[in-house]
Amino acid sequence: MSQPTEIAPPPAGADLHAPVARLLRPLVRLLVQRGITFPALTNLLRELYVNVAEYDFALPGKEQTDSRVSLLTGIHRKEVRRLRGAGAPVSQVPATVSRTSRIIARWVAAPEFTDGQGRPLPLPRSAENNAPSFENLVEGVTKDVRPRAVLDEWLDRGLAILDAEGRVRLLEAAYLPKDGAEPQLYYFGRNLHDHIAAAAENVAGPSPRFFERAVHYDGLSGALAARLEERAREIAMGALREANAEAHAACEEDAGGRHRWNFGIYIYREEVPAREPAPEPASEGGEGRTP
């Protein structure tokens, strides 16, 4: 008589394989485009695995050992010993990113620099009696850089122009770095980190801690998808302006501390590749969420 065959349980974390593969696909595409090979990524992941195990999984009151890091990561102890001690990675904000984003945030949020509809006012370069001006705007954020230097930089980068009356006009209501330069790569890492960190915290915890939802519809025509994208941009910018104005006002009275806050909105649309089955028209819609 044949004995029943025992089915081995799936490996730990197997339920994460498919969603992680989908999550990583656009990142791998970018890495290939930028010339980061698989061996280079493997080296980076090995260092990161050791770093996370060393700092994020240390037991209270106990020294983190090479053996435990090796057990957590599956990396040989000799490699663990070589890679440990580098220190937790710190995300340094490029000076130009921090300065520019803070000045623009003030320009589009502070009542003295906006009109009745919350739009940034054109500003004279300077003004008497502390009246609103570009000089006053910059000096309210930093005194380490001359307002004229900031203006020259912004004019060169196309963030602002001088109108016929010589006033400074902001061309973009939000800081939108481009061309894969340092500022854009900084926001790429920071914003994706925060989105993934919020979603991961929700999955790992007993109940969702962070608000993380999306409205999604499949099976749309290209024209409707484009129209919904444009409308979503308007809705999103309205929400971001409102959140920025409230945060800016609240910071005026806040004592300060070690916390940070990030409120982000994303929009995405694509044509389903031919290798995937096309969804039925309007086959899925509504408010989705990451648990």
Side-chain angles (χ1 to χ4, degrees), residues 175-199:
Y175 182 34
L176 297 173
K178 304 178 180 67
D179 303 324
E182 182 185 35
Q184 187 179 33
L185 292 178
Y186 165 73
Y187 281 113
F188 166 77
R190 191 199 68 171
N191 291 342
L192 284 182
H193 167 276
D194 288 359
H195 193 166
I196 293 173

Side-chain angles (χ1 to χ4, degrees), residues 196-248:
I196 293 173
E201 181 78 16
N202 289 345
V203 170
S207 61
R209 175 184 173 189
F210 294 106
F211 187 92
E212 204 262 331
R213 299 181 180 180
V215 176
H216 47 85
Y217 282 81
D218 297 336
L220 307 177
S221 67
L224 177 55
R227 179 157 62 87
L228 290 175
E229 178 186 354
E230 184 61 30
R231 178 60 182 135
R233 286 176 181 270
E234 297 174 0
I235 296 171
M237 281 307 304
L240 291 172
R241 289 192 188 99
E242 183 177 349
N244 179 56
E246 290 195 19
H248 179 83

Side-chain angles (χ1 to χ4, degrees), residues 132-152:
S133 67
F134 188 78
E135 183 177 282
N136 180 280
L137 171 72
V138 173
E139 290 180 345
V141 172
T142 178
K143 297 187 183 300
D144 295 334
V145 182
R146 293 184 299 111
R148 179 53 193 262
V150 174
L151 177 59
D152 289 343

Side-chain angles (χ1 to χ4, degrees), residues 1-282:
M1 180 182 295
S2 61
Q3 298 294 324
T5 303
E6 292 187 2
I7 301 176
D15 54 343
L16 280 177
H17 287 184
V20 167
R22 184 173 187 178
L23 162 71
L24 291 178
R25 186 176 185 86
L27 179 59
V28 170
R29 185 185 304 120
L30 176 63
L31 296 177
V32 173
Q33 289 174 345
R34 299 297 287 259
I36 298 180
T37 62
F38 178 71
L41 178 61
T42 301
N43 290 334
L44 176 61
L45 285 174
R46 186 182 294 111
E47 295 174 5
L48 190 56
Y49 259 78
V50 170
N51 188 275
V52 168
E54 180 177 3
Y55 291 96
D56 295 6
F57 288 86
L59 297 175
K62 292 187 178 181
E63 181 182 356
Q64 187 73 301
T65 65
D66 292 345
S67 296
R68 185 163 188 273
V69 172
S70 177
L71 180 64
L72 288 169
T73 63
I75 299 173
H76 195 277
R77 278 185 298 173
K78 182 184 291 187
E79 277 290 277
V80 168
R81 190 177 305 113
R82 181 178 70 85
L83 295 171
R84 283 189 66 186
V90 177
S91 178
Q92 296 289 346
V93 183
T96 183
V97 170
S98 175
R99 183 179 65 242
T100 300
S101 61
R102 285 185 293 140
I103 294 172
I104 293 179
R106 188 178 187 222
W107 197 347
V108 300
E112 64 268 32
F113 297 110
T114 56
D115 62 16
Q117 284 72 48
R119 294 171 298 202
L121 290 168
L123 300 175
R125 298 191 193 188
S126 60
E128 297 180 353
N129 300 322
N130 207 33
S133 67
F134 188 78
E135 183 177 282
N136 180 280
L137 171 72
V138 173
E139 290 180 345
V141 172
T142 178
K143 297 187 183 300
D144 295 334
V145 182
R146 293 184 299 111
R148 179 53 193 262
V150 174
L151 177 59
D152 289 343
E153 177 191 353
W154 285 23
L155 293 175
D156 181 63
R157 292 167 52 191
L159 289 175
I161 60 169
L162 296 177
D163 64 17
E165 300 177 37
R167 298 175 301 180
V168 185
R169 287 183 175 271
L170 181 65
L171 286 184
E172 302 192 26
Y175 182 34
L176 297 173
K178 304 178 180 67
D179 303 324
E182 182 185 35
Q184 187 179 33
L185 292 178
Y186 165 73
Y187 281 113
F188 166 77
R190 191 199 68 171
N191 291 342
L192 284 182
H193 167 276
D194 288 359
H195 193 166
I196 293 173
E201 181 78 16
N202 289 345
V203 170
S207 61
R209 175 184 173 189
F210 294 106
F211 187 92
E212 204 262 331
R213 299 181 180 180
V215 176
H216 47 85
Y217 282 81
D218 297 336
L220 307 177
S221 67
L224 177 55
R227 179 157 62 87
L228 290 175
E229 178 186 354
E230 184 61 30
R231 178 60 182 135
R233 286 176 181 270
E234 297 174 0
I235 296 171
M237 281 307 304
L240 291 172
R241 289 192 188 99
E242 183 177 349
N244 179 56
E246 290 195 19
H248 179 83
C251 285
E252 296 293 327
E253 301 178 356
D254 186 58
R258 296 180 55 83
H259 288 78
R260 70 183 184 92
W261 166 78
N262 189 8
F263 172 59
I265 299 173
Y266 72 91
I267 304 167
Y268 183 71
R269 71 178 172 96
E270 67 172 351
E271 182 179 1
V272 178
R275 63 176 179 272
E276 298 181 16
E280 295 296 324

